[in-house]
């Protein structure tokens, strides 16, 4: 990877993905790697600006690398996820998902709740869940190994805050991490 010009880390529900881009401005080469696996390779591209579109992760999320000339032989590389800049996508994602990282039985687990669908992901796999109504809200139950887990959803009582989601594992609350 001698022509590596950009590296991005993208947090999706199924995990954090590493996107690498090689751009040979003398050879016209363009190579896109996702998690170390080559997704696109183009040799001898005479047009040095443009875009490359590919998919990332289990949900085949659309990603596009834009290549723009800044001045002379300088180029700018920007990544879009689902048609939004990476920054905008991540800002929006922080509103639509909750993420927790926990350590169980000597292993790290990344649990993600997609608030719009109530899908729960753990280390890249969508979990089998069971929803239940309780006195103060709802509980979405699932298992990680032989540990009982649930995500509790309760109203904050404030319109701006909306619903508060908490992850409970073996009857203890796990703090959420911002992505």
């Amino acid at each position: 990877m001698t022509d590596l010009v950009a590296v991005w880390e993208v947090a999706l529900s199924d995990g954090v993905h590493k996107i690498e881009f090689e751009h040979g401005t003398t050879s016209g080469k363009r190579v896109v790697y996702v998690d170390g696996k080559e997704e696109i390779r183009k040799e001898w591209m005479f047009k040095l600006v443009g875009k490359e579109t590919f998919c990332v992760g289990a949900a085949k999320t659309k990603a596009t690398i834009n290549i723009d000339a800044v001045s002379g032989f300088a180029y700018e590389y920007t990544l879009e996820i689902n048609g939004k800049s990476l920054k905008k996508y991540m800002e929006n994602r922080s509103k639509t998902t909750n993420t927790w990282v926990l350590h169980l039985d000597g292993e790290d687990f990344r649990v993600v709740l997609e608030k719009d669908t109530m899908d729960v992901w753990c280390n890249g796999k969508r979990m089998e869940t069971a929803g239940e109504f309780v006195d103060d809200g709802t509980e979405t139950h699932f298992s990680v190994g032989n540990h009982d887990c649930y995500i509790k959803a309760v109203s904050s009582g404030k319109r701006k805050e909306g619903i508060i989601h908490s992850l409970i594992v073996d009857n203890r609350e796990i703090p959420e991490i911002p992505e």
Side-chain angles (χ1 to χ4, degrees):
M1 280 202 222
T2 53
D3 295 321
L4 187 67
V5 293
V7 178
W8 296 275
E9 302 254 319
V10 181
L12 300 177
S13 295
D14 67 335
V16 179
H17 298 279
K18 184 178 186 178
I19 297 171
E20 297 166 289
F21 183 56
E22 287 183 30
H23 188 215
T25 53
T26 51
S27 66
K29 178 178 76 171
R30 296 182 191 176
V31 187
V32 176
Y33 297 93
V34 177
D35 299 327
K37 182 177 165 283
E38 189 177 295
E39 291 293 321
I40 295 175
R41 173 176 290 270
K42 293 182 179 168
E43 306 280 352
W44 307 109
M45 299 278 297
F46 292 104
K47 192 172 177 208
L48 293 174
V49 295
K51 53 180 61 181
E52 293 298 334
T53 300
F54 52 98
C55 295
V56 181
K60 301 274 182 237
T61 303
K62 183 179 153 200
T64 302
I65 295 173
N66 295 302
I67 308 153
D68 297 300
V70 185
S71 65
F73 291 102
Y75 296 90
E76 180 180 73
Y77 307 95
T78 53
L79 180 66
E80 290 179 359
I81 304 293
N82 279 342
K84 296 184 178 86
S85 73
L86 182 59
K87 184 177 188 296
K88 274 264 180 272
Y89 177 80
M90 295 314 285
E91 284 170 4
N92 186 50
R93 191 166 164 73
S94 69
K95 293 177 192 140
T96 60
T97 62
N98 290 74
T99 303
W100 298 271
V101 172
L102 55 145
H103 193 75
L104 294 173
D105 305 326
E107 217 180 316
D108 286 325
F109 293 93
R110 179 175 176 270
V111 177
V112 177
L113 167 68
E114 292 181 351
K115 293 188 237 182
D116 52 351
T117 60
M118 293 305 285
D119 283 343
V120 176
W121 293 76
C122 182
N123 287 5
K125 293 184 177 63
R126 187 178 296 145
M127 304 301 288
E128 285 288 323
T129 61
E132 180 184 348
F133 289 100
V134 292
D135 288 343
D136 53 353
T138 63
E139 293 178 355
T140 303
H141 292 262
F142 59 99
S143 295
V144 173
N146 55 6
H147 297 271
D148 292 325
C149 310
Y150 64 92
I151 295 173
K152 190 168 182 69
V154 295
S155 171
S156 64
K158 301 182 186 100
R159 239 177 98 172
K160 277 206 187 299
E161 281 179 41
I163 295 170
I164 297 170
H165 296 89
S166 310
L167 174 63
I168 315 294
V169 177
D170 296 333
N171 294 318
R172 64 184 181 93
E173 189 171 335
I174 307 298
E176 184 182 354
I177 61 146
E179 283 198 297

